Amino acid sequence: MMNLTHWRLLLAVAEARNISRAAAQVGISQSGASQAIAQLEAALGSQLFVRERRDVSVTAFGEQVMTHARAMLAQFDGIRALADGARGLATGRIRLASFPSVLGAMLPDMLRAFRRRYPGIDVVALEGTDVEVEEWLAAGTVELGVVLNPAPERQAVLLGRDAWMAVLPGAHPLGRRSSEQGVALSELADEPFVLATGGCHVHAQSLATQAGLMLSDIRVTVRDLASAAVLVREGLGVSVIPESALPEDRRGLRVMQLQPPAYREFGLVCSEAGRASAAVQALLREL
């Protein structure tokens, strides 16, 4: 059964000429996008797209379908704009605070999607440490904040869950193990260490303290998580950083999961002002 997201997917595929990029734009998986397109083509009895190795093109029949889909979505968006205006959502402003690693990696796509849905609502993103985010929420300086490992009673909207990964120079002896074996934090505690904080109070040193360990040879401390991987590649030491911050280019690095596995969660929490804001509640509904 096709829904509005699937119709938006068809238009995104026609524009991007790529199913993966289109799926990311509308917020569904590539496999889900491929399945939705195949189901609609089967229901219509005709092909909408020609899939080639590096390109997707629209068939003549597909072009006719896209014309009707654009008109249908434009009509629906017009109705929704009327309803939003009646609920006071035509304009507004949301101040959203986050620590750097989430602000750069996850929030941009989310905010672009919200902007398309509510073009009259401005979202102002503020970067700070996780401690500063908590202070801004408590003071009502911001309506929303990204909080690390939020307690259940805070009713956070969870954005993601990240595994902590050991990052070693490519030739490090511990890297000779299989990825499944992983490496214990205790095995890294006495190694030359590159401490990456990501602007958060939860990092490798706090994980070590929680486990009754001490990082005894911290050579350098950096706020930027990506910089830590560069320094490890240069041989300054080992590090522990979240999986989402790992570089795409891992040449010269050996990345292994910690054993036992350790994770961090992050979610959006409202301030008092945020709970009273129709714009904020609309953003949370979109998520």
Side-chain angles (χ1 to χ4, degrees):
M1 187 71 176
M2 294 290 289
N3 58 35
L4 290 170
T5 298
H6 293 145
W7 288 110
R8 295 189 193 281
L9 168 69
L10 295 184
L11 296 180
V13 172
E15 181 177 341
R17 302 175 68 92
N18 182 283
I19 293 177
S20 298
R21 289 198 298 271
Q25 287 176 23
V26 300
I28 63 177
S29 66
Q30 180 179 351
S31 60
S34 297
Q35 185 178 19
I37 293 169
Q39 287 174 346
L40 184 58
E41 288 180 328
L44 296 175
S46 292
Q47 195 171 1
L48 297 171
F49 301 104
V50 177
R51 299 161 183 78
E52 299 174 355
R53 185 172 182 181
R54 297 190 177 182
D55 191 56
V56 176
S57 58
V58 185
T59 64
F61 173 72
E63 291 285 5
Q64 294 177 304
V65 171
M66 300 304 153
T67 299
H68 288 285
R70 289 187 188 93
M72 176 185 68
L73 290 172
Q75 294 274 357
F76 178 80
D77 288 343
I79 293 170
R80 192 159 61 176
L82 286 174
D84 290 342
R87 289 185 290 140
L89 292 173
T91 60
R93 186 171 185 242
I94 300 172
R95 293 163 299 179
L96 190 159
S98 173
F99 43 90
S101 56
V102 172
L103 186 62
M106 178 171 291
L107 290 179
D109 286 342
M110 179 190 78
L111 297 182
R112 274 195 295 270
F114 181 73
R115 179 71 175 175
R116 289 194 298 268
R117 172 72 172 84
Y118 296 101
I121 299 177
D122 291 325
V123 181
V124 179
L126 305 174
E127 179 181 300
T129 67
D130 58 338
V131 173
E132 288 173 328
V133 172
E134 292 283 14
E135 291 172 349
W136 295 338
L137 283 170
T141 305
V142 299
E143 285 78 31
L144 279 173
V146 177
V147 171
L148 199 61
N149 299 327
E153 61 269 19
R154 303 191 73 179
Q155 299 179 329
V157 175
L158 290 181
L159 297 175
R161 187 170 187 254
D162 229 355
W164 289 97
M165 307 296 288
V167 183
L168 318 173
H172 196 283
L174 289 173
R176 296 171 188 162
R177 301 175 183 174
S178 67
S179 299
E180 292 73 22
Q181 282 182 284
V183 58
L185 188 56
S186 60
E187 297 177 285
L188 303 176
D190 293 327
E191 294 279 337
F193 208 93
V194 176
L195 180 61
T197 68
C200 298
H201 75 285
V202 178
H203 43 64
Q205 192 169 42
S206 66
L207 292 175
T209 301
Q210 188 177 359
L213 303 168
M214 182 178 69
L215 303 181
S216 60
D217 189 11
I218 298 176
R219 297 291 176 92
V220 61
T221 300
V222 294
R223 176 169 169 152
D224 182 46
L225 298 175
S227 297
V230 174
L231 295 174
V232 171
R233 182 183 284 118
E234 294 298 319
L236 267 71
V238 302
S239 190
V240 173
I241 64 175
E243 187 173 19
S244 63
L246 293 173
E248 290 186 15
D249 181 4
R250 301 186 188 180
R251 288 175 296 180
L253 297 174
R254 182 77 168 98
V255 177
M256 305 177 73
Q257 188 160 5
L258 289 180
Q259 293 295 344
Y263 301 92
R264 66 173 191 167
E265 290 184 336
F266 32 90
L268 279 174
V269 171
C270 289
S271 66
E272 288 293 335
R275 280 190 281 273
S277 165
V280 168
Q281 299 309 311
L283 174 57
L284 297 180
R285 283 195 300 273
E286 286 294 303
L287 295 179

